[in-house]
Amino acid sequence: MSLLARVQSMVWALEPTVLDSLVQVVSRHDAGTRLSDEEIRAAIGRAPGARVDTGYRVENGVGIVPISGVIAKYASQVNDVSQSEGTSCDMILQDMRQALADPNVHAILLQIESPGGAVDGVADTASIIRDAAKIKPVVAFIDDMGASAAYWMACQAGTVYATATAVVGSIGVRTVMVDTSEQTKARGLVVHSIASGPAKAVGQPGVSISPEDRAVVQERVNSLAAIFFSCVQSGRDLSSDELASVTDGRVWIGEQAQAKGLIDGVRTYDAVMA
């Protein structure tokens, strides 16, 4: 499977502009263009020199779990998508277990600076965070951005803080279907899709995407979004009307996010640690 086909086959809880940039990068890669690490970081919204504290650490009895860059289920997927800038769900779970097992850690801080990522593994990770908060205090701190999958995890902490300029929200899921049929024709190729059922070949590269294909994918997106929305509603104790007002895909900045009930307050990192 090509990297582009892999990206298209995944459902993403990722800030839209980052996903669009990611698809463009991968499309150029599949077309033979090789980009530098700096170009890739710029394309997925990671500016060189941006502050990211990598690796689990303990400060004054607080276990700090970093969640930065594009999120994927496994470390190998992170390396494919975002080089060393991303975080995998298995990394987060390993850090959470270490913090819970350490008798010298009395609280856990999720240090978040992420546009979100792939849906796979996020619901389970969010559930672990929710369970951990019943054992030790868990605080999420959104530094610059906590969107989509990153917010899915953050909202399960007992308390959520963000900086004054942090981007919070983008609650929803999305996938991308690229119709490569005309490109395939231009290369003189004809793709015949042979499958056991009409939904089995949805997204087949080189084949036109039909309304029926889109309906199948839309149903999957809706189902995953419902799980995400339910997690936000329970994690933040939102009414149905409050939930509806924050699940249209928009993002909010600092105090706007607090007014929407998405965070508990605006703080600096040092203030949260204190």
Side-chain angles (χ1 to χ4, degrees):
M1 179 184 290
S2 72
L3 188 54
L4 179 59
R6 180 176 171 183
V7 169
Q8 293 182 76
S9 69
M10 300 170 73
V11 177
W12 297 85
L14 183 61
E15 200 277 328
T17 59
V18 177
L19 179 56
D20 292 341
S21 295
L22 178 60
V23 171
Q24 291 176 20
V25 167
V26 173
S27 298
R28 292 174 65 189
H29 175 86
D30 270 17
T33 301
R34 294 296 179 265
L35 304 180
S36 68
D37 289 346
E38 289 74 18
E39 288 176 304
I40 292 173
R41 279 194 293 268
I44 64 173
R46 301 287 306 159
R51 191 193 84 179
V52 178
D53 297 316
T54 59
Y56 172 78
R57 62 197 187 281
V58 178
E59 294 182 8
N60 299 321
V62 178
I64 300 174
V65 178
I67 302 174
S68 62
V70 175
I71 298 168
K73 186 172 184 178
Y74 300 114
S76 60
Q77 293 175 318
V78 171
N79 292 335
D80 285 343
V81 172
S82 60
Q83 306 302 320
S84 60
E85 300 291 342
T87 302
S88 66
C89 292
D90 54 352
M91 293 175 190
I92 298 168
L93 294 179
Q94 179 180 334
D95 292 346
M96 292 295 296
R97 292 188 186 104
Q98 186 173 345
L100 288 172
D102 188 344
N104 295 315
V105 170
H106 61 76
I108 300 171
L109 179 74
L110 306 178
Q111 186 180 9
I112 298 171
E113 206 275 274
S114 169
V119 167
D120 296 345
V122 174
D124 289 344
T125 305
S127 178
I128 293 296
I129 292 170
R130 181 172 61 250
D131 291 342
K134 299 173 184 176
I135 301 171
K136 294 183 178 182
V138 178
V139 174
F141 173 69
I142 298 173
D143 187 0
D144 295 335
M145 177 176 284
S148 288
Y151 185 76
W152 194 334
M153 296 179 188
C155 71
Q156 296 307 290
T159 308
V160 185
Y161 294 118
T163 59
T165 58
V167 175
V168 181
S170 191
I171 299 169
V173 301
R174 180 186 177 197
T175 191
V176 177
M177 300 181 73
V178 179
D179 192 327
T180 59
S181 58
E182 292 301 321
Q183 184 183 60
T184 301
K185 287 180 184 178
R187 294 170 58 194
L189 302 175
V190 177
V191 176
H192 297 281
S193 184
I194 303 170
S196 58
K200 186 63 178 176
V202 171
Q204 172 71 48
V207 176
S208 296
I209 298 171
S210 68
E212 292 76 18
D213 292 340
R214 291 196 296 273
V216 169
V217 176
Q218 183 68 60
E219 182 179 4
R220 179 160 60 112
V221 166
N222 291 348
S223 296
L224 290 167
I227 297 172
F228 187 179
F229 297 166
S230 177
C231 197
V232 172
Q233 184 171 25
S234 61
R236 297 302 302 167
D237 193 24
L238 302 178
S239 69
S240 296
D241 288 343
E242 289 170 332
L243 179 69
S245 74
V246 297
T247 52
D248 61 358
R250 282 183 291 174
V251 296
W252 288 270
I253 309 298
E255 291 182 352
Q256 294 176 334
Q258 183 178 358
K260 286 289 185 179
L262 297 179
I263 65 174
D264 295 293
V266 173
R267 301 282 190 279
T268 65
Y269 175 79
D270 289 341
V272 171
M273 287 299 291

